[in-house]
Amino acid sequence: MLISAFTTLLCLGTAAAAVIMPMSGRVELTLPAAPIPDSVWSDLSPKIVSGASESFQLSLQNVESEGLAMWSATMGISCAVVALITAFVGYLCLRVYKGQPFGRLMTIGFAVSSAVIVAGSAILPSVFAGVNERIIADAGIDLAAAPFTGGYVFGAADAAFLLFGIFLALVAAAFHVGSRFQRDGEGLV
């Protein structure tokens, strides 16, 4: 319960920072790396067969863009949703401690968490790609010369969140069955 409470507070702090930081014209973008031809690597050394980088972290300041408001809102909402899910996990821990982990509210909580995570992992990469492209264009950065791209990429982290959301759907189904067993057991006693 303490870990869940700490994580919830950390996520709420991150949400506040994500909303406040862009107001000063500063933003941290994670952008997918542009493909680098193998000839670049082989020019460094004949022992290098290939090389790759998945992403670049780009810090911008003094940016004036309408994309900052969209980026701030998207990040703030994302962090707030994660905070709500971690608060739900804390409530689950409390229910387990009391010996009553199953119930309709827990099943609904897992189902809603699952739906939000699956939808977020499917939608957010494209939203961030569009927002990042807007900020990069307003900052005057030439994507053709940059080692990164502004396009849509469904990465490994997005796939992990998608699988985690599916896993939570299975947990919701298990809690639904457990809730029925608990009601049947209480009826027998």
Side-chain angles (χ1 to χ4, degrees), residues 12-168:
L12 289 174
T14 304
V19 170
I20 293 170
M21 188 172 62
M23 290 180 188
S24 66
R26 182 172 170 83
V27 68
E28 303 281 333
L29 302 177
T30 302
L31 300 159
I36 300 172
D38 287 338
S39 62
V40 171
W41 299 109
S42 61
D43 289 345
L44 293 174
S45 170
K47 295 181 182 182
I48 298 175
V49 177
S50 67
S53 176
E54 288 187 20
S55 64
F56 283 95
Q57 188 72 26
L58 191 66
S59 298
L60 301 173
Q61 63 183 6
N62 300 326
V63 177
E64 294 180 16
S65 172
E66 292 177 11
L68 288 178
M70 294 184 294
W71 186 89
S72 178
T74 306
M75 282 296 292
I77 290 169
S78 299
C79 292
V81 165
V82 172
L84 286 172
I85 291 171
T86 57
F88 169 72
V89 170
Y91 180 65
L92 171 65
C93 293
L94 178 65
R95 297 270 309 235
V96 169
Y97 177 74
K98 289 182 175 183
Q100 294 291 323
F102 300 109
R104 183 172 171 84
L105 180 64
M106 301 311 295
T107 302
I108 292 171
F110 276 115
V112 168
S113 297
S114 170
V116 167
I117 290 172
V118 167
S121 67
I123 296 170
L124 283 179
S126 63
V127 170
F128 275 119
V131 170
N132 288 347
E133 284 182 4
R134 176 80 181 248
I135 293 171
I136 287 169
D138 289 345
I141 298 170
D142 181 17
L143 284 176
F148 50 82
T149 65
Y152 170 78
V153 174
F154 187 81
D158 302 315
F161 279 116
L162 180 66
L163 292 175
F164 181 66
I166 293 169
F167 172 75
L168 283 183

